[in-house]
Amino acid sequence: MAKAVFPGSFDPPTIGHLDVITRAAGAFEELIVAAGVNQSKNRLFSDDERVEMLTELAEPFPNVRIATFSGLVVDFCTAQGASVLVKGLRTAADYDYELQMAHLNRRMTGVDTVFLPSAPEHGFISSSWVKEISKLGGDVSTFVTPSVHTRLLAKYE
């Protein structure tokens, strides 16, 4: 089995992300969940907070580790010795975008991409929507883990 990287912003991590982590952890010898670090992006959670939340999510999986990266994800894959990227797909629009990226990434470095379609019950969940609903006082407790929910509530108090 190969070493894989599951990249994302994870701002915040959702139960959809947890579903992908769970399934990918079972399919690969090692899974690196890599939170992107980009100083130009205005994130709700700091890099350290996102790593803490992801570490909590990954705790049950001995073959999963959490890391951060900046720059090109394929360069991170090469540096980590990972030959596969894991991407979760919610919609056909995700597929259209991610397929182009997969071709580009393979052409650049030879890193392959594995697509995991979301479980139907998670297909509508996105970090952006979770933040927006939470900011407006809506209940997002079924879209995130309890500890992430607690952190979201604290951010918007």
Side-chain angles (χ1 to χ4, degrees), residues 1-6 20-34 54-55 57-67 80 82 86:
M1 287 195 290
K3 183 186 295 188
V5 171
F6 175 35
V20 172
I21 292 167
T22 301
R23 292 160 57 205
F28 295 97
E29 186 176 332
E30 181 180 357
L31 178 67
I32 305 165
V33 179
L54 289 168
T55 300
L57 289 182
E59 188 175 357
F61 309 101
N63 64 327
V64 175
R65 69 181 169 93
I66 309 304
Q80 298 297 313
V86 173

Side-chain angles (χ1 to χ4, degrees), residues 35-55:
V37 176
N38 184 340
Q39 304 304 354
S40 68
K41 293 213 174 183
N42 188 17
R43 301 202 195 280
L44 178 62
F45 292 98
S46 71
D47 298 339
D48 289 342
E49 289 171 317
R50 291 181 297 129
V51 166
E52 288 170 9
M53 289 184 284
L54 289 168
T55 300

Side-chain angles (χ1 to χ4, degrees), residues 99-115:
L99 181 61
Q100 292 176 37
M101 290 299 300
H103 291 311
L104 184 62
N105 289 337
R106 179 151 171 74
R107 177 68 185 260
M108 289 172 56
T109 62
V111 171
D112 275 318
T113 302
V114 171
F115 298 123

Side-chain angles (χ1 to χ4, degrees), residues 84-140:
V84 177
L85 278 167
V86 173
K87 295 294 191 115
L89 300 177
R90 294 169 297 175
T91 66
D94 287 349
Y95 177 75
D96 288 342
Y97 175 79
E98 294 294 347
L99 181 61
Q100 292 176 37
M101 290 299 300
H103 291 311
L104 184 62
N105 289 337
R106 179 151 171 74
R107 177 68 185 260
M108 289 172 56
T109 62
V111 171
D112 275 318
T113 302
V114 171
F115 298 123
L116 290 178
S118 68
E121 63 271 22
H122 306 311
F124 60 90
I125 301 171
S126 75
S127 294
S128 297
W129 288 10
V130 164
K131 287 185 290 192
E132 185 70 17
I133 294 166
S134 186
K135 181 179 179 180
L136 296 172
D139 181 15
V140 296

Side-chain angles (χ1 to χ4, degrees), residues 12-15 125 130 140-150 152:
T14 69
I15 59 170
I125 301 171
V130 164
V140 296
S141 61
T142 60
F143 307 142
V144 295
T145 62
S147 64
V148 171
H149 187 242
T150 299
L152 272 168

